[in-house]
Every structure is written in structure tokens, then in C-alpha cells.
Amino acid sequence: MEFDEIILQVKGMKKYFPIEKGLLRRQVGQVKAVDDVSFEIKRGEALGLVGESGCGKTTLGRCVLRAIDPTEGEIILRTSDGAMVDITALDKPELRQLRKEMQMVFQDPFSSLSPRMTVLDIIGEPLWAQGIRGKEMEDMVRELADLVGLNIGHLNRYPNAFSGGQRQRIGIARALATRPGLIVADEPVSALDVSIQAQILNLLQDLQEKLSLTYLFIAHDLSVVEHIADRVAVMYVGKIIELADTEELYLNPKHPYTEALLSAVPKPDPRLEERQIILSGEVANPADPPSGCLFHPRCQYAQDRCRQEAPALEEVRPGHYAACHFSKELELTGVAI
Ligand SMILES: Nc1ncnc2c1ncn2[C@@H]1O[C@H](COP(=O)(O)OP(=O)(O)OP(=O)(O)O)[C@@H](O)[C@H]1O
Ligand code: SF4
Ligand SMILES: [Mg+2]
């Protein structure tokens, strides 16, 4: 599918967390959780954001919604009335006004909610916050529950009466309550059984079509975003190291880290499993990153240059970006999808 209009543009975004020590909380270092990331999402598109634990996906997603303030960079959102707004420059009341345009779906939607809230309260809360009350609110909640496939007879129950999949449906209904255009879904199926994962992914795909939603879809595993994402960005230690159309990225990876992640995607032919590349060592520590290419301590193709010089993200084929000194020469193995 072709997408025209940019809905979100992120330019040079950084989020550094200070590391403090002692009673005086002296700053002794910083965690570069997101380090100079730029990308855009078109209206109606689903951008997958993938990488191992700790590489900065949640931090990036939270900065995009300005749940936390980025250290640096611009985050430009096209609002429903067509204006381009840099959300890093908004004050609190302006931000509150804009909140309804973008929402987050969480891995565990209830970790921050009271167990004494009914499903009606949970889904209705964002409406309540906008001054919608009483019967109008209840009618809207019923409509939302129906939209996500929840039994509307169960709205007065408490979330602990529901299965994981049902709870995620409640979380999705809540996120949709204000009719947002942009949804940041942060590992929405990671906590679910595999059989339920497919149901929730299908639901998210149906909703995207029905409501013309745009997704930033976060996962740590490439197999999860395969069907839902139009393009995929791969993150490693705070940086995007590869970005391309989904099919292109899977068939023709141009970064050794993506190749390793792809080798772990389950294959239809079990004989192909033997080719799995075992990534040795841990993800680099963002508080004490290695020199040169951040991936070099784990890269089977690393050469001297990689230890000294950091590769920039460059367009290696039209619309296909990779940050590796040797992406043009290496013959990396992808997977057919
Ligand atoms: N509030 C914070 N203060 C200090 N460091 C933080 C904070 N939040 C995140 N970090 C650090 O920033 C880095 C990125 O964390 P983040 O949660 O964004 O990663 P992630 O890719 O979402 O990982 P996961 O797959 O485990 O959810 C990690 O090193 C983490 O420890
Ligand atoms: S720049 Fe070097 S270390 Fe980094 S991914 Fe490419 S080959 Fe590996
Ligand atoms: Mg996370």
C-alpha cells in the first residue's frame, strides 16, 4: 500500500537518563537510552520497532507520546485538523488537549490501574477526563467494547475476572476511547499465550483498517511484527540500525544484527532452524557503550575499522537504511515471508 501524508516526524531525538550517586545525588554518568533517532510514520501505516530488551524501545515510545520529556530533538505530529505541531514545545494544557490524538497500548494494561475499577470505569476514564459523563459515556463505552469483541454484559466486572486476552481487549478499548489517530503499542502481545497473540494481532489489524489508525508497534521479536508492520525499524542500544519495508528487510537484511534476529524467527521448514545465529554476549551497556560500532563485540563480521569508527545510518537501497560499514559488501541471509 502507498501512504502519502506524514503523521509523525521524529528528528534527532535523544533521551539520556542521568546516573546519580550518593546523598547529594551527584551525576556520575548517563544512560543513553535513545541516542539520535530520526524516522517518520505516514498516516495509516504501521511501523514496527524491534530490538532486544533494554535497547530503548519503550523510552522511544514514551517520548513520542511525551509521557516523558526527550533530552533533545523534535517530535512533530500532524493533528486531526491538519496542523503540524512540535509536541516537545507544548506546555501542559496544550499537551492535555493533544493527548486524545495519540494513545498507548501497554504490555500489561492494568499495572497502573486500581483493581477496584470496573471495566466500564477503565474504558470510560479517558472520556471522563474529557468531561463526558453519564449515559453518553456508557453508550460510548458499550460501542468501544463491542468494537474490540468484549461481551458488553460484563462491563460491571473487575479486570481480574478476565483472561489475559480479554484484558488486552479492555486496554485497547481504553486506548481507542478518544478516537486517536496514532497508537503506540508497546509489546501488546508479549505477555499472552501464543494462541491468543494471533487473535489480538488480528484485532489490531482489523481496527487499523476500520478506524484508519497509524501504529508504532513495538516488539522484541521480528516474528511478531511480520504481518502487521508495513516497515520495520531495528534498534540496538538506543539507535536505529536498520529501517526498510517489511518484506525487503526480511528478505534482504543489510545489518548483521538484523540477520541474527531474523535467524531466530521460526521457519516453516525445521531444517532451516540449524542456521540460527547465536548472539554471544549481552546487549551493550548504554551507560558504558563500546567504541566504534556498538554491535562490534557481538558481530561475526567485525573488522578493525568497526572498533574505531561508528557507522552512520545510510540509504543502501531506495528506502532501505542500514548503519554498517560493510552493508554493501556482506551477503547476509534473510527469510522468506
Ligand atoms: N527512568 C529511567 N531511569 C534510568 N534508566 C532508564 C529509565 N528507563 C529506562 N532506562 C534505561 O534505558 C535503557 C532502555 O530502556 P527501555 O525500557 O526503553 O528498553 P526496551 O527496549 O523497552 O526494553 P524491554 O524490551 O525490556 O522493554 C535501559 O538501559 C534502561 O535500563
Ligand atoms: S560496522 Fe562492523 S561490527 Fe558493526 S555491524 Fe557492520 S560489520 Fe558488524
Ligand atoms: Mg520496553
Coordinates of all heavy atoms in Angstrom, one line a residue, residues 1-9 39-46 76-84 101 181-182 212-215 230-231:
M1 N 0.8 -1.2 0.0 CA 0.0 0.0 0.0 C 0.9 1.3 0.0 O 1.9 1.3 0.6 CB -0.9 0.0 1.2 CG -2.3 0.5 0.9 SD -3.2 1.1 2.3 CE -3.2 -0.3 3.5
E2 N 0.4 2.3 -0.7 CA 1.1 3.6 -0.7 C 0.6 4.5 0.4 O -0.6 4.6 0.5 CB 1.0 4.2 -2.1 CG 1.9 3.6 -3.1 CD 3.3 3.8 -2.9 OE1 3.7 4.9 -2.6 OE2 4.1 2.8 -2.9
F3 N 1.4 5.2 1.1 CA 1.0 6.1 2.1 C 1.6 7.5 1.7 O 2.7 7.6 1.3 CB 1.5 5.7 3.5 CG 1.1 4.4 3.9 CD1 1.9 3.3 3.7 CD2 -0.2 4.1 4.4 CE1 1.6 2.0 4.1 CE2 -0.6 2.8 4.8 CZ 0.3 1.8 4.6
D4 N 0.8 8.5 1.8 CA 1.2 9.8 1.4 C 1.6 10.8 2.5 O 2.7 11.3 2.6 CB 0.1 10.5 0.5 CG -0.3 9.6 -0.6 OD1 0.6 8.9 -1.2 OD2 -1.5 9.5 -0.9
E5 N 0.6 11.0 3.4 CA 0.7 12.1 4.4 C 1.5 11.7 5.6 O 1.2 10.6 6.2 CB -0.7 12.5 4.8 CG -0.8 13.8 5.5 CD -2.2 14.1 5.9 OE1 -2.8 13.2 6.6 OE2 -2.8 15.1 5.4
I6 N 2.5 12.5 6.0 CA 3.3 12.2 7.2 C 2.4 12.5 8.4 O 1.9 13.6 8.5 CB 4.6 12.9 7.2 CG1 5.5 12.4 6.1 CG2 5.3 12.8 8.6 CD1 6.8 13.2 6.0
I7 N 2.3 11.6 9.4 CA 1.5 11.9 10.6 C 2.5 12.2 11.7 O 2.2 13.0 12.6 CB 0.5 10.8 10.9 CG1 -0.4 11.3 12.1 CG2 1.1 9.5 11.2 CD1 -1.6 10.4 12.4
L8 N 3.7 11.6 11.7 CA 4.6 11.8 12.8 C 6.0 11.9 12.2 O 6.4 11.0 11.4 CB 4.6 10.6 13.8 CG 5.6 10.7 14.9 CD1 5.0 11.6 16.0 CD2 5.8 9.3 15.6
Q9 N 6.7 12.9 12.7 CA 8.1 13.0 12.2 C 9.0 13.2 13.4 O 8.8 14.2 14.2 CB 8.2 14.2 11.3 CG 9.6 14.3 10.7 CD 9.6 15.1 9.4 OE1 8.8 16.0 9.2 NE2 10.5 14.7 8.5
F39 N 13.0 9.3 12.4 CA 12.1 8.5 11.5 C 10.8 9.2 11.3 O 10.5 10.2 11.9 CB 11.9 7.1 12.1 CG 11.1 7.1 13.4 CD1 9.8 6.9 13.4 CD2 11.8 7.2 14.6 CE1 9.0 7.0 14.6 CE2 11.1 7.3 15.8 CZ 9.7 7.1 15.8
E40 N 10.0 8.7 10.3 CA 8.7 9.3 10.2 C 7.7 8.1 10.0 O 8.1 7.0 9.6 CB 8.7 10.2 9.0 CG 9.1 9.5 7.7 CD 9.3 10.5 6.5 OE1 9.8 11.6 6.7 OE2 8.9 10.1 5.4
I41 N 6.4 8.4 10.3 CA 5.4 7.5 10.0 C 4.3 8.2 9.2 O 3.9 9.3 9.5 CB 4.8 6.9 11.3 CG1 5.8 6.5 12.3 CG2 3.8 5.7 11.0 CD1 5.3 5.8 13.6
K42 N 3.8 7.5 8.2 CA 2.8 8.0 7.3 C 1.4 7.7 7.9 O 1.3 6.6 8.6 CB 2.9 7.5 5.9 CG 4.3 7.7 5.3 CD 4.3 8.9 4.4 CE 5.7 9.2 3.9 NZ 6.2 8.3 2.9
R43 N 0.4 8.5 7.6 CA -0.9 8.2 8.1 C -1.4 6.8 7.5 O -1.3 6.5 6.3 CB -1.9 9.3 7.6 CG -3.3 9.2 8.3 CD -4.2 10.2 7.9 NE -3.8 11.6 8.3 CZ -3.9 12.1 9.5 NH1 -4.4 11.3 10.5 NH2 -3.6 13.3 9.7
G44 N -1.9 6.0 8.4 CA -2.4 4.7 8.0 C -1.4 3.6 8.0 O -1.7 2.4 7.8
E45 N -0.1 4.0 8.3 CA 1.0 3.0 8.2 C 1.2 2.3 9.6 O 0.8 2.9 10.6 CB 2.2 3.7 7.8 CG 3.4 2.8 7.5 CD 4.7 3.6 7.2 OE1 4.9 4.7 7.7 OE2 5.5 3.1 6.4
A46 N 1.8 1.1 9.6 CA 2.2 0.5 10.8 C 3.7 0.4 10.8 O 4.2 -0.3 9.9 CB 1.6 -0.8 11.0
I76 N 7.2 15.9 15.7 CA 6.2 16.7 15.0 C 5.0 15.8 14.6 O 5.2 14.8 14.0 CB 6.8 17.4 13.8 CG1 7.9 18.4 14.3 CG2 5.7 18.2 13.0 CD1 8.8 18.8 13.2
L77 N 3.9 16.2 15.2 CA 2.7 15.4 14.9 C 1.7 16.2 14.1 O 1.5 17.4 14.3 CB 2.0 15.1 16.3 CG 0.7 14.3 16.2 CD1 1.0 12.8 16.0 CD2 -0.1 14.5 17.5
R78 N 1.1 15.6 13.1 CA 0.0 16.2 12.3 C -1.3 15.9 13.1 O -1.7 14.8 13.2 CB 0.0 15.7 10.9 CG -1.0 16.6 10.0 CD -1.2 15.9 8.7 NE 0.0 15.8 7.9 CZ 0.4 16.7 7.1 NH1 -0.2 17.8 6.8 NH2 1.6 16.5 6.4
T79 N -1.9 17.0 13.5 CA -3.1 16.8 14.3 C -4.3 16.5 13.4 O -4.2 16.6 12.2 CB -3.4 18.0 15.2 OG1 -3.6 19.1 14.3 CG2 -2.3 18.3 16.2
S80 N -5.5 16.1 14.0 CA -6.6 15.8 13.2 C -7.1 17.0 12.4 O -7.8 16.8 11.4 CB -7.7 15.2 14.1 OG -8.0 16.1 15.2
D81 N -6.8 18.2 12.8 CA -7.2 19.3 12.0 C -6.1 19.8 11.0 O -6.2 20.8 10.4 CB -7.7 20.5 12.8 CG -6.7 21.0 13.8 OD1 -5.5 20.6 13.7 OD2 -7.0 21.7 14.8
G82 N -5.1 18.9 10.8 CA -4.1 19.1 9.8 C -2.9 20.0 10.2 O -2.0 20.1 9.4
A83 N -2.9 20.5 11.4 CA -1.8 21.4 11.8 C -0.6 20.5 12.2 O -0.7 19.4 12.6 CB -2.2 22.2 13.0
M84 N 0.7 21.0 11.9 CA 1.9 20.3 12.3 C 2.4 20.9 13.6 O 2.7 22.1 13.7 CB 3.0 20.4 11.2 CG 2.6 19.9 9.9 SD 2.4 18.1 9.8 CE 4.1 17.6 9.5
E101 N -5.2 12.6 20.7 CA -4.8 12.3 19.3 C -3.9 11.1 19.3 O -3.6 10.5 18.3 CB -4.1 13.5 18.7 CG -4.9 14.8 18.8 CD -5.4 15.3 17.5 OE1 -5.1 14.6 16.4 OE2 -6.1 16.3 17.4
G181 N -5.6 9.1 16.4 CA -5.1 8.7 15.1 C -3.9 7.9 15.2 O -3.6 7.0 14.3
L182 N -3.1 8.1 16.2 CA -1.8 7.4 16.4 C -1.8 6.6 17.6 O -2.1 7.0 18.7 CB -0.6 8.4 16.5 CG 0.8 7.9 16.7 CD1 1.3 7.1 15.5 CD2 1.7 9.0 17.1
S212 N -8.8 3.6 10.4 CA -7.7 4.3 9.8 C -6.6 4.7 10.8 O -6.2 5.9 10.8 CB -8.1 5.6 9.0 OG -9.3 5.4 8.3
L213 N -6.2 3.8 11.6 CA -5.2 4.1 12.6 C -3.8 4.0 12.1 O -3.5 3.3 11.1 CB -5.3 3.1 13.8 CG -6.6 3.0 14.5 CD1 -6.7 1.8 15.5 CD2 -6.8 4.3 15.3
T214 N -2.9 4.7 12.7 CA -1.5 4.7 12.4 C -0.8 4.0 13.7 O -1.1 4.4 14.8 CB -0.9 6.1 12.2 OG1 -1.7 6.7 11.2 CG2 0.6 6.0 11.8
Y215 N 0.1 3.1 13.4 CA 0.7 2.4 14.6 C 2.2 2.5 14.6 O 2.9 2.4 13.6 CB 0.5 0.8 14.5 CG -0.9 0.3 14.8 CD1 -1.4 -0.8 14.1 CD2 -1.7 0.9 15.8 CE1 -2.7 -1.3 14.3 CE2 -3.0 0.4 16.0 CZ -3.5 -0.7 15.3 OH -4.7 -1.2 15.6
D230 N 4.1 -2.4 8.0 CA 4.5 -2.1 6.7 C 6.0 -1.8 6.5 O 6.6 -2.2 5.5 CB 3.7 -0.8 6.3 CG 2.2 -1.0 6.3 OD1 1.7 -1.7 5.5 OD2 1.6 -0.4 7.3
R231 N 6.6 -1.2 7.5 CA 8.0 -1.0 7.5 C 8.5 -1.4 8.9 O 7.7 -1.4 9.9 CB 8.4 0.4 7.3 CG 8.3 0.9 5.8 CD 8.8 2.3 5.6 NE 8.1 3.2 6.5 CZ 8.7 4.3 7.0 NH1 10.0 4.5 6.8 NH2 8.0 5.1 7.8

